[in-house]
Amino acid sequence: MRRTDKIAFLSVLSNSFVVVLKLIVGLWTGSIAVISEAIHSALDLLASFIAFISVRVAGKPADKGHPFGHGKVENISGTLETLLIFVAGFWIIYECLHKLFAPEPVKLPFLAIAIMLVGAILNFIVSKLVKKEGERVHSIAMKSNAFHLLTDVYTSLGVAVGLLLVYLTGWHFLDPLIGIALAIYIMLEAVKLIKEAFPPLLDAKLSQQEEKEILQIIQMYHHEYIEIHDFRTRRAGAVEYIEFHMVVPSHETIQKTHDLCDHIELRIRETFANAHISIHVEPENERKGDQKRGILHDEGGV
């Protein structure tokens, strides 16, 4: 099992433990906020499981049926996780509204608070591990999973503080209000997540900053080519696809042009380790009109 798979599986184990604890304590104490948080953690568990499966599938090499690999499985995973968050958010709000009009005292509040803190600490540690690995391999599924875990940390701490206030003030209506606030928070955060997970399914280009970095790398070799054009990028899971046309002097040898392409590709992969790069080379005497092709010149076109 790869290191990435092991860390993804670790999040499944930690979430399973946290869900069981929160659900038992929530039902025992009668706290709708704790039960809502248990549902939130259960969705995180499902998200962790989806991420674990999608990372393994996305890591498979390209085959005859999928010549561009399986990277978009991760984006599908991230989108599904986001939809699950919205479903949970609406369900939590529904239950909390019902409890708001018929508030009930919370039994053993300090036990509930203790479990919230234990869950927060555990998920904080695991989220840091998952995020670090996700950034290392450029995995949207791993980064989405880390996001889920981190939101669980914040919401667990919020529920713990809320239960403490219920105990100190005796205002039992605070319990469902905390649950509603929790639901709204995770739904707003889900909007940010889907903005990152969904666009690659439509072959959206890389971010403006990422494209700028790539073009700056290409510009480092401007003295060896004449111009580039038809620059395009897209992302599928952890893989960036980069392609462009490069015009070179007609007298250059195939070997020198080949070496130039290799140098550019190696330099780009220093920043984008999983990038698939396609460079179409054109001799100078075949280049077409600049205005029609959107050509980037070596005189600062980048």
Side-chain angles (χ1 to χ4, degrees), residues 5 13 20 22 42 62 85 127 129 145 154 186 190 217 226 251 255 267 278 288 295:
D5 296 338
L13 292 178
V20 171
K22 289 181 178 178
I85 291 176
S127 71
L129 292 173
N145 192 19
Y154 296 144
I186 63 175
I217 292 172
I226 296 174
H251 60 78
Q255 183 63 54
R267 185 59 68 90
S278 176
K288 299 181 180 179
I295 291 174

Side-chain angles (χ1 to χ4, degrees), residues 7 10 48 57 91 110 162-163 172 185 219 242 248 264 278 292 298:
I7 293 179
L10 174 63
S48 295
V57 174
W91 190 89
F110 283 105
L163 289 173
H172 299 293
Y185 169 75
Q219 178 71 0
I242 303 163
V248 299
I264 292 175
S278 176
K292 294 181 180 180
D298 58 355

Side-chain angles (χ1 to χ4, degrees), residues 34-84:
V34 175
I35 294 174
S36 298
E37 180 59 15
I39 294 169
H40 178 209
S41 295
L43 282 173
D44 287 342
L45 172 59
L46 182 57
S48 295
F49 184 73
I50 292 174
F52 173 66
I53 297 299
S54 67
V55 165
R56 300 202 71 180
V57 174
K60 291 181 178 180
D63 53 37
K64 184 179 292 186
H66 305 86
F68 290 98
H70 304 79
K72 286 190 177 181
V73 169
E74 292 198 26
N75 299 98
I76 295 173
S77 165
T79 302
L80 287 176
E81 291 174 32
T82 305
L83 295 177
L84 286 173

